[in-house]
């Protein structure tokens, strides 16, 4: 999978059904750990798929904090569960998060609490924060087995939606 215009929500589906699939990414800044929630807002399950969130294209020039908790330390691979109890592998690098999802049920989500820092100086950072645009421009790329993928960019509302032409079953 090739890396695109950095940071936040996309996916790929190769399926026989005609239903449209959507994954939504939602970002909330917080003092100790920022929160990224990925949700399957489609009417069908998707998976297996990979979701990559590239932070380097964000207006806030976000990176994963060096103070990240041990379970999400740089270069580590950990398992979290989605809200349906299915395991999700998460790999963290300085400017990206990579998730491997086996079965993503409709209406369910994956919640990540990740401490993020900015590479902007204090003045620039305050300007971007006051505009509410820290994650703006970050990219999410979702891909399934094969080479197809879809990309969604985070907007000033902290959300990105990625639509695919079909559900992955």
């Amino acid at each position: 999978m090739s890396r695109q215009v950095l940071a936040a929500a996309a996916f790929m589906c190769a399926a026989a059904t005609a239903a449209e699939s959507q994954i939504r990414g939602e970002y909330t800044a917080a003092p100790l750990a920022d929160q990224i929630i990925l949700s399957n807002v489609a009417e069908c399950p998707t998976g297996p798929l990979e979701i990559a969130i590239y932070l380097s294209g964000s207006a806030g020039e976000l990176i994963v904090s060096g103070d990240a908790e041990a379970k999400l330390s740089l270069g580590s691979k950990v398992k979290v569960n989605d809200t349906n109890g299915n395991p999700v592998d998460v790999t963290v690098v300085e400017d990206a998060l990579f998730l491997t999802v086996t079965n993503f049920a409709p209406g369910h989500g994956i919640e990540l609490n990740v401490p993020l820092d900015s590479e902007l100086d204090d003045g620039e950072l305050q300007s971007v924060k006051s505009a509410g645009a820290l994650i703006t421009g970050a990219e999410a790329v979702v891909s399934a087995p094969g080479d197809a993928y879809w990309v969604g960019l985070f907007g000033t509302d902290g959300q990105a939606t990625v639509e695919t032409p079909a559900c992955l079953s």
Side-chain angles (χ1 to χ4, degrees), residues 29-158:
L32 298 177
D34 299 283
Q35 185 176 68
I36 297 173
I37 298 174
L38 300 169
S39 303
N40 179 355
V41 295
E43 295 180 7
C44 54
T46 61
L49 53 86
E50 302 263 336
I51 303 172
I53 300 175
Y54 296 106
L55 300 169
S56 59
S58 63
E61 295 184 20
L62 296 174
I63 59 170
V64 176
S65 170
D67 297 331
E69 298 176 25
K71 69 177 187 171
L72 285 177
S73 61
L74 297 180
S76 70
K77 188 173 198 174
V78 297
K79 282 198 183 294
V80 298
N81 288 330
D82 67 15
T83 55
N84 201 31
N86 294 312
V88 177
D89 287 330
V90 181
T91 302
V92 180
V93 297
E94 183 179 62
D95 63 353
L97 304 166
F98 300 95
L99 295 84
T100 303
V101 182
T102 305
N103 179 23
F104 205 4
H108 290 270
I110 301 165
E111 184 177 310
L112 299 170
N113 295 302
V114 183
L116 300 176
D117 282 335
S118 173
E119 294 187 314
L120 297 176
D121 67 38
D122 288 340
E124 292 173 314
L125 181 59
Q126 290 308 319
S127 175
V128 171
K129 275 185 178 178
S130 65
L134 281 176
I135 195 88
T136 300
E139 178 180 272
V141 177
V142 179
S143 62
D147 293 332
Y149 61 89
W150 290 264
V151 178
L153 295 178
F154 282 87
T156 56
D157 62 355

